[in-house]
Amino acid sequence: MAATTDRDEFVRLTDPYRRELLAHCYRMLGSVDDAEDLVQETYLRAWRSYDGYEGRASLRTWLHRIATNTCLTALEGRVRRPLPSGLGEPSDAPEEPLRARAADVPWLQPLPDALVDPATVVAARGSLRLALVAALQNLPARQRAVLILRDVLAWRAPEVAALLGTSTAAVKSTLQRARARLDEVAPDEDLVTEPDGPEDRELLDRYMAAFEHADMDALLGLLQDGVELEMPPYLEWFSGTKDVLRFLGARVGEPGRVRMVPTRANGQRAVGAYERGADGVHRAHSLQVLHVRLLHAPGALDVHAPRAHLVHAPSALGVRGVHSSRAPGVHEVRIARITAFLDPELFGRFGLPQVLS
């Protein structure tokens, strides 16, 4: 009876942190599947050592320590999880058939917002964005851990040093190297906090309508100059409105061939795209995550605000802080990147059906 009571207490006290730990493990690994496995492993390790927990650190901190060490062990010997744009130059043949899928690449996976605590999505939206998680995969595992612990979770350097068994000076040095590497692999505009309001919801509606009506002119009006399109598991990706529209225009076909359902991934707008087959049935085709950006206009947005690394504050969780000073109604939103995961198996994770009636 005592053992059962202890287990019940353990579950009651630790379960509220499960979704937060999932987000932490996802940032470390870039895989929802692996993150879920490692959260389970974290709880097993925590239960086994629960008798020794003395409360000198908060339960949240204690669980994050275990989760971080579990992730570091899992990352030993693993290759990073990329997106196509991180593996080579854009293709210049948008109207040619895509080559064979790169099935041997462990691609980055999108994270359904529904798997993460809503408060975490709101407060830490910038640190879950697809572009940032992709950039984090370029860091060695310990640099990645230090950056996340210091700049996302706002741990003090001595706390990180104690977890990693190193000195405070070493942690500070590692953090500097991690930030410098992140500056190299991710442009500023990739990692600023993007809008999340009625403007980008309207943009999403227009995006879905453009595809469903096969209206490439309407789609053109939604894309930023230099828009990028990538489609894991294919290595090809395209840059610039001309090539992106040529690629899509050659494949969207007639009105009604594509249908879309809105969802959310990585704190961003997303859609599940369905393609009509020869039998007239619309089947799951791709999960598309949209990177939406506010266009800079005089008096609309201060994009030259001081840069900041990941800060543990609801208003600034993003690698580079961007502070809005826009006046209502004088700014526009555009799509800067479309990451289309051509994997119908992802639909189940997002609560989307395989077939639309």
Side-chain angles (χ1 to χ4, degrees):
M1 180 65 72
T4 301
T5 301
D6 288 346
R7 181 177 289 276
D8 290 343
E9 178 191 56
F10 172 80
V11 171
R12 179 179 62 82
L13 293 175
T14 62
D15 199 57
Y17 301 102
R18 184 176 293 273
R19 291 188 172 190
E20 182 180 341
L21 292 171
L22 177 65
H24 179 60
C25 293
Y26 172 74
R27 293 185 192 99
M28 286 289 295
L29 286 100
S31 164
V32 179
D33 296 333
D34 291 346
E36 288 183 330
D37 289 343
L38 292 183
V39 168
Q40 186 64 24
E41 177 65 21
T42 295
Y43 274 83
L44 287 173
R45 293 186 184 188
W47 167 243
R48 290 171 186 151
S49 58
Y50 186 55
D51 287 344
Y53 172 63
E54 299 176 348
R56 283 181 287 187
S58 69
L59 191 61
R60 176 178 180 267
T61 297
W62 182 66
L63 288 171
H64 273 86
R65 285 176 181 168
I66 297 172
T68 301
N69 281 321
T70 302
C71 290
L72 288 173
T73 300
L75 284 168
E76 292 176 359
R78 291 196 188 187
V79 297
R80 69 183 179 93
R81 285 184 172 269
L83 289 172
S85 57
L87 295 178
E89 296 300 314
S91 171
D92 58 1
E95 293 171 340
E96 294 183 7
L98 295 174
R99 297 192 297 270
R101 294 169 174 244
D104 58 332
V105 177
W107 296 106
L108 188 76
Q109 295 179 342
L111 174 68
D113 280 16
L115 293 184
V116 184
D117 183 74
T120 299
V121 173
V122 172
R125 191 165 63 94
S127 69
L128 289 172
R129 291 179 58 238
L130 201 61
L132 173 59
V133 177
L136 288 173
Q137 306 312 302
N138 289 279
L139 303 180
R142 284 174 70 89
Q143 286 188 20
R144 199 181 309 171
V146 168
L147 185 78
I148 292 171
L149 292 170
R150 291 283 285 124
D151 284 354
V152 177
L153 300 181
W155 282 29
R156 295 180 295 109
E159 293 177 307
V160 179
L163 186 155
L164 297 177
T166 188
S167 66
T168 298
V171 166
K172 292 180 179 179
S173 176
T174 300
L175 180 61
Q176 289 179 343
R177 293 196 303 273
R179 287 173 171 173
R181 177 59 179 156
L182 212 59
D183 286 341
E184 293 174 1
V185 300
D188 286 358
E189 60 269 19
D190 271 358
L191 301 181
V192 297
T193 302
E194 63 182 77
D196 184 27
E199 298 93 348
D200 65 300
R201 176 57 213 239
E202 179 186 357
L203 182 72
L204 180 70
D205 291 340
R206 293 167 60 195
Y207 178 82
M208 294 190 297
F211 271 92
E212 292 178 350
H213 293 97
D215 189 342
M216 292 299 100
D217 289 336
L219 184 60
L220 173 62
L222 307 178
L223 304 180
Q224 176 182 286
D225 291 340
V227 64
E228 295 176 354
L229 169 66
E230 52 190 341
M231 300 155 290
Y234 293 97
L235 291 172
E236 293 100 322
W237 62 285
F238 303 97
S239 180
T241 52
K242 180 180 178 180
D243 282 353
V244 168
L245 283 176
R246 284 172 62 195
F247 176 85
L248 295 174
R251 289 160 176 82
V252 170
E254 71 280 359
R257 181 180 177 185
V258 175
R259 293 176 61 188
M260 290 185 163
V261 177
T263 185
R264 292 191 67 93
N266 296 78
Q268 299 169 244
R269 300 290 184 185
V271 297
Y274 294 79
E275 188 174 43
R276 187 177 62 204
D279 58 0
V281 176
H282 285 86
R283 294 181 175 84
H285 175 265
S286 60
L287 196 290
Q288 303 179 15
V289 183
L290 306 183
H291 179 119
V292 177
R293 189 173 300 153
L294 280 163
L295 291 184
H296 178 51
L301 178 67
D302 178 13
V303 296
H304 301 293
R307 285 173 28 168
H309 287 277
L310 288 160
V311 180
H312 189 66
S315 63
L317 269 168
V319 171
R320 285 93 179 179
V322 171
H323 306 282
S324 172
S325 61
R326 64 184 182 271
V330 300
H331 59 281
E332 294 182 322
V333 290
R334 290 289 185 271
I335 296 169
R337 180 181 296 111
I338 304 166
T339 305
F341 295 88
L342 275 65
D343 182 2
E345 293 184 4
L346 291 173
F347 278 55
R349 282 202 172 278
F350 286 82
L352 298 175
Q354 286 293 312
V355 175
L356 284 184
S357 57

